[in-house]
Structures are given as structure tokens and as C-alpha cells.
Amino acid sequence: MEGIGKTTLANEVYNDACIHFHFDVCAWAIVSQRHNVKEILLSLLRSTKGGIIDMNDEAELANMLQKSLKGKRYLIVMDDMWKSEAWDAVRLCFPSENKGSGILLTTCNTEVARDVGTENLSLQMGFMDHDESWNLFKSVAFANEALPYEFETIGKLIANECHSHLKACLLHFGIFPEDSEIPVKNLMRSWMAEGFLNLENDLEGVAEKCLQELVDRCLVLVCKKSLEGRKIRSCKVHDLIYDLCLKEVQRGNIFIMNDIVPDVSDSECRALIMHKMHPFKRVIGDEINYCRYGLYRALLPLYIVS
């Protein structure tokens, strides 16, 4: 997913003194979602040749890049590659006979890794566990200084507060259709029904605070606001966040999702067919536990067949 540290890790490798000592040429290009072949070639050429490249033709730029790498041991970083087409557009620029050379790709798409033939050489970036999160927090807060014992207890409390107690509320977006604009009233009622909110008198106020916190963290996008501009009326999540929510929901079986579709093959019967059922899990704080006694429930969409 975006922001998990792929570019940061690649940058640590790329700027390591041993790497620059080992390779004759090191070059870096940012590919991005809407890739521009000319800009990719120019970025690589600026790293390999330096100075201003006054050339507009892509074929000439590709030829110049290939010549600049010929006979040299090179390291090329292609950062943030979204589509295999971007790789296909530039791969012939890299001489394959140069022994000891390497190309490092970062991507959010596992299909890209498969298409470029690096699936068995790929590193899947994962989330940090509790200890890793604490060590990162400690290293940033205290740099290279030793952590005083009296600060460790309060430091761990602060680190725990950084964890998103809103996990269940965010993952709940995975049950809505992709790119859908969700009425906030429906979203909050669903949160309340699922029991995600603390048992307080003002459940709606708590729900509004949770939603605002997700917005403040740039996890949820505001679509519409009330006329006075104070209340959020509808919202949605970015495609990347939606994919994350959907994968976590499916992987953890946090909610039951029954896909109900009308069978219109028989005009008289018009039966509803059930496709999927997953075991329901309860979300309590940061822990997700199975419901006892084999309890099941379903989120059933309503279809109206004319």
C-alpha cells in the first residue's frame, strides 16, 4: 500500500556508501501512476550523464541512455511503478549483458512484479508490530540518546495512543461499494449497530468525533457538508484505502458479507441466491475475537426487481 515505506527503504539502499562504491552508475526515476516515458528517460539520463539534456525525441533519449550504460555496472531504481506498460517502454534501454548490474522497482501492484519477472525476488512490505512501532517512536523521540527508565512507561502509553482505536470504524468502509459517496447518517447508524462506539449517551456525538478524526488523519475524504459548513453530510475513501479495508475485511473475516443477487432466469420465481458467508468476528478495542456459540449475522443489501 501507499506510505508503507517502499520508497524510504529503496532510498536507504540507493544512498548507501557501499552501493555507490560497488556500481559505476546509479540512477533514479519516479514513474508514478500516469507515467511519462520522456520524463523517465530524462531523469535517468540526468543521473548518468549530468547537466542539461536538450533533446525531445524519445527514441533518441532511449538510445543515449543505452549508450551511457553500456559496459558499466549500473543500479537503476524505478520508483512507484503502477503499470507494466511503463516497464515495457524503457526496459530495452538497459543493457542485459552488463554483469553485476541491478534494477530495483517499487510498486503497489503485485501484477507489475509478476509481469517484470521479479515475483520470486520481491520483498513484501508489512506493517510494524507493537515492538517495532515502539522502537521507531523511541528512536525518533530520543535520537541516539539512551532512554531514561522513568520515561519508558509514559512513552509506551503515548505510543499506544498513536494506534488507531478507530480501526473497526475505518475497515467498515470495506462493506460499501467502491467509489461510493456514503451518507454520513447511514454510516454512523451502521457503526452504532455494530457496537464500534463506546457506550455513551450521546452516540451520535461520539460517531461524529470518530469520523472527524478519520478525516483529520486524511483517511476519509469529505464529499458534502451542511449549508453552514460545520457537519459532514457524505464521505468516501480513496481507492487505496478502500482496497486496504477490503483486504483486511476479507482476510480477517471481520464482517459477514452475503452477496445476494436476483435470479431473473425464471420470471415467475425471481429467487434470491446467496453466494458467500463468512464467520463473524467481534472487534473489541484492538483485539478481534470470534463470537461464541457459532453466532452468525449478515449484512444484506436490498434489491428491487421490477
Side-chain angles (χ1 to χ4, degrees), residues 163-173 184 187-192 195-200 202-222 232 235-237:
H163 190 66
S164 178
H165 61 286
L166 300 169
K167 178 178 179 181
C169 293
L170 177 62
L171 294 184
H172 201 64
F173 281 89
V184 166
L187 177 66
M188 290 180 177
R189 286 173 179 172
S190 188
W191 283 352
M192 295 176 195
F196 294 157
L197 308 175
N198 295 327
L199 295 176
E200 299 182 19
D202 186 14
L203 278 178
E204 187 171 341
V206 174
E208 287 178 354
K209 288 180 181 178
C210 290
L211 178 60
Q212 188 59 54
E213 191 169 345
L214 290 172
V215 171
D216 292 341
R217 296 186 184 194
C218 300
L219 293 170
V220 173
L221 307 175
V222 176
I232 302 171
C235 61
K236 62 184 295 187
V237 290

Side-chain angles (χ1 to χ4, degrees), residues 144-158:
N144 296 322
E145 300 176 16
L147 175 64
Y149 176 77
E150 60 269 22
F151 290 160
E152 184 164 348
T153 301
I154 190 170
K156 287 185 176 179
L157 289 174
I158 294 172

Side-chain angles (χ1 to χ4, degrees), residues 44-110:
L44 295 174
L45 279 169
R46 291 187 192 108
S47 299
T48 59
K49 296 180 71 68
I52 298 174
I53 310 297
D54 186 18
M55 195 177 293
N56 291 319
D57 186 69
E58 284 184 12
E60 292 182 13
L61 290 170
N63 185 52
M64 181 184 293
L65 177 60
Q66 188 178 51
K67 286 181 178 179
S68 69
L69 298 175
K70 200 171 181 76
K72 297 177 182 177
R73 182 162 32 185
Y74 58 81
L75 171 66
I76 304 294
V77 177
M78 305 285 287
D79 185 34
D80 197 23
M81 183 175 288
W82 285 67
K83 298 177 182 178
S84 302
E85 289 87 338
W87 169 249
D88 293 334
V90 297
R91 64 185 180 87
L92 295 179
C93 299
F94 310 127
S96 57
E97 68 274 9
N98 294 30
K99 292 184 178 180
S101 296
I103 299 174
L104 175 61
L105 307 178
T106 70
T107 180
C108 294
N109 193 336
T110 53

Side-chain angles (χ1 to χ4, degrees), residues 58-294:
E58 284 184 12
E60 292 182 13
L61 290 170
N63 185 52
M64 181 184 293
L65 177 60
Q66 188 178 51
K67 286 181 178 179
S68 69
L69 298 175
K70 200 171 181 76
K72 297 177 182 177
R73 182 162 32 185
Y74 58 81
L75 171 66
I76 304 294
V77 177
M78 305 285 287
D79 185 34
D80 197 23
M81 183 175 288
W82 285 67
K83 298 177 182 178
S84 302
E85 289 87 338
W87 169 249
D88 293 334
V90 297
R91 64 185 180 87
L92 295 179
C93 299
F94 310 127
S96 57
E97 68 274 9
N98 294 30
K99 292 184 178 180
S101 296
I103 299 174
L104 175 61
L105 307 178
T106 70
T107 180
C108 294
N109 193 336
T110 53
E111 290 185 9
V112 172
R114 284 196 294 268
D115 291 344
V116 302
T118 63
E119 187 178 15
N120 296 328
L121 301 172
S122 63
L123 172 65
Q124 297 286 339
M125 299 287 288
F127 291 104
M128 293 185 293
D129 59 26
H130 180 79
D131 291 334
E132 290 171 328
S133 299
W134 164 244
N135 289 332
L136 175 61
F137 176 82
K138 185 170 58 173
S139 66
V140 172
F142 291 91
N144 296 322
E145 300 176 16
L147 175 64
Y149 176 77
E150 60 269 22
F151 290 160
E152 184 164 348
T153 301
I154 190 170
K156 287 185 176 179
L157 289 174
I158 294 172
N160 286 332
E161 286 297 318
C162 295
H163 190 66
S164 178
H165 61 286
L166 300 169
K167 178 178 179 181
C169 293
L170 177 62
L171 294 184
H172 201 64
F173 281 89
I175 71 169
F176 294 95
E178 187 175 6
D179 290 326
S180 62
E181 184 176 324
I182 306 164
V184 166
K185 189 172 289 186
N186 295 352
L187 177 66
M188 290 180 177
R189 286 173 179 172
S190 188
W191 283 352
M192 295 176 195
E194 292 290 347
F196 294 157
L197 308 175
N198 295 327
L199 295 176
E200 299 182 19
N201 293 329
D202 186 14
L203 278 178
E204 187 171 341
V206 174
E208 287 178 354
K209 288 180 181 178
C210 290
L211 178 60
Q212 188 59 54
E213 191 169 345
L214 290 172
V215 171
D216 292 341
R217 296 186 184 194
C218 300
L219 293 170
V220 173
L221 307 175
V222 176
C223 297
K224 292 177 183 174
K225 283 192 171 185
S226 58
L227 292 176
E228 69 276 10
R230 287 189 298 175
K231 287 194 173 186
I232 302 171
R233 293 302 183 197
S234 64
C235 61
K236 62 184 295 187
V237 290
H238 190 277
D239 290 348
L240 291 170
I241 299 296
Y242 179 82
D243 289 341
L244 170 65
C245 293
L246 195 60
K247 287 175 184 176
E248 285 294 301
V249 167
Q250 292 171 341
R251 183 176 65 85
N253 293 334
I254 296 174
F255 311 109
I256 289 180
M257 288 188 294
N258 295 333
D259 293 338
I260 309 294
V261 296
D263 181 3
V264 295
S265 58
D266 187 345
S267 58
E268 294 182 0
C269 182
R270 295 182 184 273
L272 292 178
I273 300 176
M274 183 177 295
H275 282 292
K276 297 178 184 176
M277 175 167 279
H278 301 297
F280 171 73
K281 291 183 179 181
R282 282 175 82 181
V283 181
I284 306 174
D286 293 334
E287 296 184 359
I288 302 173
N289 302 312
Y290 282 104
C291 279
R292 299 175 62 189
Y293 313 119

